[in-house]
Amino acid sequence: MNLPLPVAVAIWVVVGLALLLLVLTGRRRLATRTRHLVPAPPQPPLTEGELGELVVGPVEAVYVSSTLHGDWLARIGAHGLGDRSHAEVGVYAGGVVVDRDGAEPLLLPAATLRAAGTAPGMAGKYVGRDGLVVLTWQVPSDGAVEATTVDTGLRTRHRADSDRLLEAVRPLITPSEPSAKDHP
C-alpha cells in the first residue's frame, strides 16, 4: 500500500510526537518520585576561593548520573541529578565541583564524601572495566527531606584523569555511620 507523501510524513510526525511525549512524561514522573527521596543538593559558592585550594582540575568528563547508594539502576531524576551531560570536575580542599553543561553546577562538600572508587557502569551507561569514577556522598537534609546517600558517576575523557581524580578525592573522605536512608 502506497500512501501519498504528505500522509506518510504526517503519520511519522504523529508517531515522533507521541514518543517524545512518552519520554517527557517518564522523566517528569521520575523527578516527582525521587524528589521525596533526595533533598536538593547544596549550591556551590559564588567564588571558587571559598572552597579552598584547587587540588586537581578542571578534568573533562561526562556526568553520567546520580543514583541511590548501592542501587546503580535507581537513577535520581529530581534536581537535575539524572541528566547526563558534559562536565568539568574540580577537586578543591573543601569538596568537589561538577560543572555540568546545561545544568546547575553540583557541589559535593568534603564533609559529605563517603567513598570514591570505580565501576563498570550505572543507570543505563555501561563502559566496562571500571571505566566510571563513582563518588559516594551524602546529600544534606534540606529541612523537608532527610539526608540521603547517593552515588554520582563520572566518565573521564582520559583514563589517567580517573586515577588523578580518585587520588585527589580520597583524602577528603570523611568516614561516618550509615544512616537509615543509606541503601546497601
Side-chain angles (χ1 to χ4, degrees):
M1 168 172 138
N2 287 335
L3 294 174
L5 185 59
V7 172
V9 169
I11 290 172
W12 282 111
V13 167
V14 168
V15 168
L17 289 174
L19 290 175
L20 180 63
L21 182 63
L22 283 173
V23 168
L24 293 176
T25 301
R27 289 174 53 92
R28 188 173 348 130
R29 285 184 181 166
L30 177 63
T32 301
R33 192 170 56 244
T34 57
R35 187 170 286 119
H36 303 291
L37 298 174
V38 180
Q43 293 295 316
L46 297 176
T47 62
E48 292 178 1
E50 294 178 49
L51 288 174
E53 179 184 346
L54 178 65
V55 179
V56 169
V59 172
E60 290 183 55
V62 172
Y63 171 83
V64 175
S65 79
S66 291
T67 62
L68 296 175
H69 176 59
D71 188 354
W72 292 356
L73 295 177
R75 182 188 307 256
I76 299 167
H79 318 296
L81 295 175
D83 299 334
R84 184 174 301 155
S85 64
H86 291 282
E88 287 187 345
V89 182
V91 180
Y92 297 85
V96 179
V97 175
V98 182
D99 191 7
R100 304 174 293 165
D101 289 348
E104 292 291 320
L106 182 60
L107 171 64
L108 290 63
T112 66
L113 291 169
R114 300 294 178 251
T118 59
M122 74 185 317
K125 176 74 171 174
Y126 182 81
V127 294
R129 294 191 50 200
D130 296 334
L132 294 181
V133 172
V134 178
L135 303 177
T136 301
W137 61 293
Q138 188 170 37
V139 183
S141 175
D142 62 3
V145 181
E146 291 181 35
T148 303
T149 303
V150 301
D151 295 319
T152 295
L154 304 164
R155 170 78 167 159
T156 59
R157 184 170 179 166
H158 305 286
R159 176 67 185 152
D161 287 339
S162 293
D163 297 332
R164 287 181 42 224
L165 197 57
L166 290 170
E167 288 173 16
V169 170
R170 285 184 174 139
L172 302 177
I173 294 173
T174 305
S176 73
E177 297 294 320
S179 71
K181 296 275 284 194
D182 288 348
H183 299 280

